[in-house]
């Protein structure tokens, strides 16, 4: 059954924009007094409401009463939604002057969350992941990448990935799982970093493949986690097994972006510590830079050099990094608006970072824009000008959200 959803004061379809480089707001395609035709969850057509009503006379009308602007559903390409426990004590310690690495060395940080998550049942993890995903969905985020990485053993990582898979079948949002078993070497592993990674390659990754839990592998390259050389071994091994690659890189020190480019990773995420050399290298590659302003806000540190990456010709996506430690806020739009204000991003660049470019970071071409043959994932804001959404810096939320053409 076909249906027409509209009319909307404005529809921004995000079509025809480049994957890389700067974008001016006058490059956005804006359809006035618009509508969308949907059939079985797929977009059939977009255009003027009156034209579509004439072209599809038998379509059922889902009429919008009031003034709304329609945007594609947001894509959050970097989250850690599957966890248990709180790190409020870490946050308080940072405000008292402790650094992220000092807190980790004192028993807080990632290991604190690992301890709580290991103690949690699969049922509890599924419930909490669904709750967080539904909160994101309510705020217009229709596709959400979700990492493991708080298990740090074969069985616990499998438990988390299975919980993400089960949560995906419960929430109406689409969850894209990523294995981050290489988050750090667990404190209870009796061996070196490379021995831990070898265990993951030989024992965990084949099981993930066999159980079809994910096709994405991530690693944290940092002083508190894994070196460039260790990461290169792990990522090259994962690629030989057929996995796609993404990398936590250049958050506190450089080196991660170099590895990401070397292995042709889909994305390198964080980049707060990146200098001119790293910016140029990432911008010249096919690897998408993912800014995570939630971590910058949560840790009180510099933002990803988004403006420089774009001006050098790079592709920039924006993720929330929603996690219990460094990025507990979980409000993607607010974070993106703050990043845009500090880094002087055009609204078009911010919006592309939340839609088309974020979809590309996940290697998904069926989402990110409102175009024929794509999934009918979109959101309507109670404003008469799309610029008001960003002007209010995230305080205006969508009134309506559709997933596969069904209002959720």
């Amino acid at each position: 059954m076909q249906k027409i959803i509209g009319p909307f004061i404005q529809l921004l379809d995000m079509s025809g924009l480049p994957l890389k480089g700067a974008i001016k707001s006058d490059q956005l395609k804006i359809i006035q007094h618009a509508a969308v035709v949907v059939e079985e969850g797929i977009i059939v057509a977009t255009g003027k409401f009156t034209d579509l009503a004439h072209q599809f006379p038998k379509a059922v009308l889902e009429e919008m009463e009031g003034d709304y602007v329609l945007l594609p559903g947001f894509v959050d390409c970097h989250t850690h939604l599957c966890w248990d426990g709180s790190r409020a004590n870490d946050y308080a310690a940072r405000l008292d002057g402790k650094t992220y690495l000092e807190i980790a060395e004192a028993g807080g940080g990632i290991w604190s969350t690992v301890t709580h998550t290991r103690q949690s049942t699969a049922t509890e993890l599924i419930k909490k992941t669904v709750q967080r995903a539904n909160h994101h969905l309510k705020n217009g985020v229709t596709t959400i990448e979700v990492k493991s990485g708080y298990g740090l053993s074969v069985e616990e990582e499998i438990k988390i990935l299975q919980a993400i898979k089960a949560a995906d079948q419960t929430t109406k949002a689409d969850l894209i799982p990523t294995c981050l078993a290489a988050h750090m070497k667990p404190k209870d592993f009796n061996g070196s970093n490379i021995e831990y990674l070898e265990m993951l390659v030989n024992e965990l990754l084949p099981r993930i493949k066999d159980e079809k839990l994910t096709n994405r592998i991530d690693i944290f390259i940092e002083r508190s986690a894994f070196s460039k050389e260790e990461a290169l071994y792990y990522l090259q091994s994962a690629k030989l097994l057929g996995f796609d690659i993404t990398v936590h890189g250049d958050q506190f020190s450089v080196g991660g972006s170099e590895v990401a480019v070397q292995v042709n990773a889909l994305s390198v995420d964080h980049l707060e510590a990146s200098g001119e050399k790293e910016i140029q290298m990432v911008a010249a590659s096919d690897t998408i830079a993912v800014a995570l302003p939630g971590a910058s806000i949560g840790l009180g540190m510099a933002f990803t050099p988004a403006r420089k990456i774009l001006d050098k010709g790079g592709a920039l996506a924006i993720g929330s990094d929603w996690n219990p430690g460094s990025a507990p806020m979980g409000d993607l739009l607010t974070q993106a608006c703050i990043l845009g204000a500090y880094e002087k991003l055009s609204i078009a660049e911010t919006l592309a970072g939340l839609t088309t470019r974020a979809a590309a970071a996940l290697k998904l071409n069926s989402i990110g824009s409102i175009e024929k043959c794509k999934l009918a994932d979109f959101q309507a804001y109670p404003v008469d000008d799309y610029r008001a959404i960003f002007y209010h810096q995230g305080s205006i939320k969508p009134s309506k959200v559709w997933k596969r053409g069904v209002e959720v």
Side-chain angles (χ1 to χ4, degrees):
M1 179 183 71
Q2 291 181 339
K3 64 178 177 180
I4 300 175
I5 306 174
F8 300 98
I9 293 290
Q10 295 176 330
L11 186 159
L12 279 71
D13 65 13
M14 299 304 293
S15 67
L17 295 173
L19 175 61
K20 301 182 69 174
I23 310 173
K24 298 296 185 183
S25 289
D26 60 11
Q27 293 176 252
L28 292 172
K29 178 183 174 184
I30 304 172
I31 307 174
Q32 308 286 347
H33 306 292
V36 185
V37 182
V38 175
E39 184 174 10
E40 296 183 353
I42 304 298
I43 298 169
V44 175
T46 63
K48 295 282 188 181
F49 176 76
T50 52
D51 293 343
L52 294 177
H54 178 73
Q55 293 172 29
F56 299 90
K58 295 183 180 180
V60 175
L61 175 60
E62 188 174 315
E63 187 170 7
M64 302 295 297
E65 296 181 359
D67 293 344
Y68 292 96
V69 169
L70 194 70
L71 302 181
F74 291 151
V75 179
D76 193 342
C77 59
H78 185 126
T79 83
H80 304 253
L81 294 192
C82 191
W83 85 80
D84 206 344
S86 170
R87 298 252 290 280
N89 55 334
D90 287 14
Y91 184 74
R94 283 198 298 273
L95 296 181
D96 285 336
K98 300 292 185 181
T99 68
Y100 182 90
L101 296 178
E102 287 172 342
I103 292 168
E105 290 168 358
I110 293 169
W111 189 247
S112 172
T113 301
V114 169
T115 301
H116 286 98
T117 304
R118 285 181 175 183
Q119 294 169 350
S120 186
T121 66
T123 300
E124 290 170 333
L125 289 177
I126 293 165
K127 179 182 177 181
K128 290 178 179 180
T129 302
V130 169
Q131 287 174 341
R132 294 170 188 132
N134 286 345
H135 179 81
H136 243 10
L137 182 62
K138 181 181 178 181
N139 288 334
V141 185
T142 51
T143 300
I144 309 164
E145 187 261 14
V146 185
K147 301 180 190 297
S148 67
Y150 294 129
L152 304 189
S153 72
V154 172
E155 295 305 324
E156 290 296 324
E157 285 292 307
I158 292 292
K159 180 182 80 172
I160 293 172
L161 289 167
Q162 288 174 338
I164 295 169
K165 184 175 182 178
D168 179 53
Q169 296 168 352
T170 304
T171 178
K172 290 183 171 63
D174 283 335
L175 306 186
I176 310 301
T178 300
C179 176
L180 182 57
H183 208 171
M184 61 177 281
K185 187 190 78 172
K187 292 187 177 183
D188 57 0
F189 180 81
N190 187 22
S192 65
N193 277 9
I194 200 69
E195 287 171 333
Y196 175 67
L197 295 176
E198 287 173 345
M199 184 269 289
L200 297 182
V201 170
N202 295 323
E203 299 180 32
L204 177 63
L205 299 193
R207 281 190 62 181
I208 290 173
K209 273 290 185 183
D210 290 343
E211 297 185 32
K212 296 181 171 59
L213 293 175
T214 182
N215 195 48
R216 290 170 48 86
I217 298 298
D218 196 351
I219 189 170
F220 189 20
I221 303 175
E222 193 51 69
R223 182 161 58 92
S224 61
F226 298 98
S227 69
K228 292 192 302 180
E229 294 75 20
E230 292 161 349
L232 194 58
Y233 155 75
Y234 180 64
L235 296 177
Q236 288 175 335
S237 299
K239 289 194 76 170
L240 288 174
L241 291 171
F243 287 99
D244 290 330
I245 301 300
T246 184
V247 170
H248 278 62
D250 293 7
Q251 183 176 13
F252 303 109
S253 59
V254 297
S257 59
E258 180 182 350
V259 174
V261 171
Q262 187 172 347
V263 300
N264 196 29
L266 291 176
S267 72
V268 56
D269 306 17
H270 277 296
L271 302 175
E272 296 92 339
S274 297
E276 291 297 330
K277 173 187 173 182
E278 290 76 26
I279 292 168
Q280 181 63 53
M281 178 174 54
V282 172
S285 74
D286 293 328
T287 298
I288 295 174
V290 178
L292 302 173
S296 298
I297 295 166
L299 295 174
M301 60 186 292
F303 289 103
T304 303
R307 179 74 269 151
K308 290 183 177 180
I309 291 169
L310 290 168
D311 288 346
K312 291 290 186 180
L316 182 85
I318 304 170
S320 73
D321 197 18
W322 193 358
N323 72 69
S326 60
M329 181 198 293
D331 190 325
L332 179 61
L333 178 58
T334 296
Q335 295 168 9
C337 289
I338 293 170
L339 175 72
Y342 274 85
E343 284 293 309
K344 302 298 184 287
L345 306 182
S346 71
I347 290 177
E349 289 166 339
T350 300
L351 191 50
L354 297 171
T355 56
T356 53
R357 291 175 171 183
L362 297 177
K363 206 166 75 170
L364 297 174
N365 57 18
S366 61
I367 57 172
S369 60
I370 305 175
E371 297 182 82
K372 183 178 179 180
C373 296
K374 294 202 172 187
L375 291 183
D377 295 355
F378 33 78
Q379 51 176 326
Y381 287 81
V383 296
D384 59 8
D385 186 319
Y386 77 93
R387 293 170 293 189
I389 301 167
F390 299 88
Y391 168 61
H392 289 280
Q393 296 181 314
S395 62
I396 297 177
K397 303 301 184 185
S399 297
K400 297 175 181 289
V401 179
W402 291 262
K403 183 64 186 175
R404 288 179 166 83
V406 177
E407 187 178 344
V408 296

